[in-house]
Amino acid sequence: DLKSTREGLRFVVLARLRCDRQSRAERVFPVLRANQVVSNRDPVPPPSDCQGHLFEELDVDSRCSDRLATNDAIRSSLVDRFVKCQSEIVEKSRRLRVEYLALHEKWLEHCARLDDVQKVGVQEESAIPSGGRATRRSTAVMGDAVRSDLEMEQIIASLGVEELTDPSYLAIKNVAKIPDMISVTEGSVPYLFDDTNNLVDDPAEFYGASSGQDYWTEEERNTFLNEFAAHPKQFGRI
């Protein structure tokens, strides 16, 4: 009378649960026993809280002894290597310091030589006579001496070009002439600035509303009205 296989299986399982001859312990014990057997194959030693026992195990280990022996063997070489590196660093710093001092002395000598050359040039320029005929020696010293008309024309042309291109010379013509400031000595200024630019005598009339019809004659007004009636809003044609 069962309608489907699922209902039949459900009925069998319920009947088995009601009339099961095995107890819960009989069903669980075999599984628990099998798990215990599997777990006892690789026994794990209980954890030990004694640090001394752990240290003894590591101390008697042959691998640890070999490692300590290797460390003792290379300790001296490492110390020698570090000492050598430190000595090389000290030697390099000393060598660089000596090199810097030598270069600094050369630089000071070069600067002193340039200063001497500049002083000699200033003395030669001051020794040139201001007037009179230029001798061969003064002509050789003076760089702006003219020896021909061609050189004179070239110098004049270069001066003209310099006046047109030199910013400092061009700025002289465009410099603003700023008047002296008025000093206040007694707490008041005895001067007034009279500004008549855009002076408005009658503000009410100047800013008042105006239709513009007052500027037209009667004939012009009639002409505008007739043209506007003939061509509305066509001000270009009007």
Side-chain angles (χ1 to χ4, degrees):
D1 297 336
L2 298 177
K3 296 181 180 180
S4 62
T5 306
R6 183 175 181 180
E7 293 182 358
L9 292 175
R10 183 172 178 274
F11 179 77
V12 171
V13 170
L14 292 176
R16 180 68 180 273
L17 291 176
R18 292 177 183 176
C19 303
D20 193 2
R21 298 178 181 178
Q22 291 182 346
S23 61
R24 182 174 181 277
E26 292 176 353
R27 292 195 303 269
V28 173
F29 182 75
V31 179
L32 180 61
R33 184 61 181 171
N35 292 336
Q36 291 178 353
V37 171
V38 173
S39 62
N40 291 331
R41 291 179 181 177
D42 297 327
V44 179
S48 177
D49 297 334
C50 182
Q51 297 180 359
H53 180 68
L54 180 61
F55 179 76
E56 291 177 358
E57 291 181 357
L58 294 175
D59 191 16
V60 298
D61 192 5
S62 59
R63 292 177 297 178
C64 182
S65 301
D66 296 339
R67 191 179 300 110
L68 293 176
T70 305
N71 293 338
D72 294 336
I74 65 176
R75 178 180 299 174
S76 59
S77 61
L78 287 176
V79 171
D80 296 339
R81 180 63 179 173
F82 291 151
V83 172
K84 184 179 179 180
C85 291
Q86 187 65 25
S87 61
E88 290 178 356
I89 293 173
V90 173
E91 179 64 22
K92 184 177 180 180
S93 62
R94 186 190 63 79
R95 186 175 66 255
L96 292 176
R97 191 180 297 108
V98 173
E99 183 179 358
Y100 171 77
L101 293 176
L103 294 175
H104 184 64
E105 292 178 358
K106 291 182 180 180
W107 172 249
L108 293 178
E109 293 177 358
H110 181 67
C111 293
R113 194 182 305 110
L114 293 178
D115 294 339
D116 295 339
V117 172
Q118 186 177 5
K119 291 179 181 178
V120 172
V122 172
Q123 293 176 0
E124 290 180 354
E125 291 180 0
S126 61
I128 297 174
S130 59
R133 183 179 179 182
T135 60
R136 293 183 179 179
R137 181 175 298 177
S138 63
T139 304
V141 175
M142 295 175 61
D144 55 351
V146 179
R147 292 181 292 272
S148 63
D149 295 338
L150 178 60
E151 292 183 359
M152 176 65 74
E153 293 177 358
Q154 291 178 353
I155 292 173
I156 294 174
S158 63
L159 292 176
V161 174
E162 185 178 357
E163 291 178 357
L164 296 176
T165 57
D166 189 5
S168 59
Y169 184 79
L170 295 175
I172 296 175
K173 300 180 180 179
N174 300 327
V175 171
K177 296 181 180 180
I178 302 175
D180 297 335
M181 297 181 64
I182 301 174
S183 61
V184 180
T185 56
E186 298 180 357
S188 62
V189 180
Y191 302 98
L192 295 177
F193 179 67
D194 187 10
D195 187 7
T196 58
N197 294 330
N198 299 324
L199 180 63
V200 178
D201 296 330
D202 191 358
E205 182 180 357
F206 183 79
Y207 294 103
S210 176
S211 61
Q213 295 182 0
D214 299 336
Y215 303 104
W216 288 14
T217 61
E218 189 66 25
E219 184 179 359
E220 291 175 348
R221 189 179 298 107
N222 294 331
T223 303
F224 175 76
L225 293 176
N226 294 331
E227 292 293 333
F228 186 82
H231 310 287
K233 295 185 179 181
Q234 298 182 12
F235 297 101
R237 189 169 183 178
I238 294 173

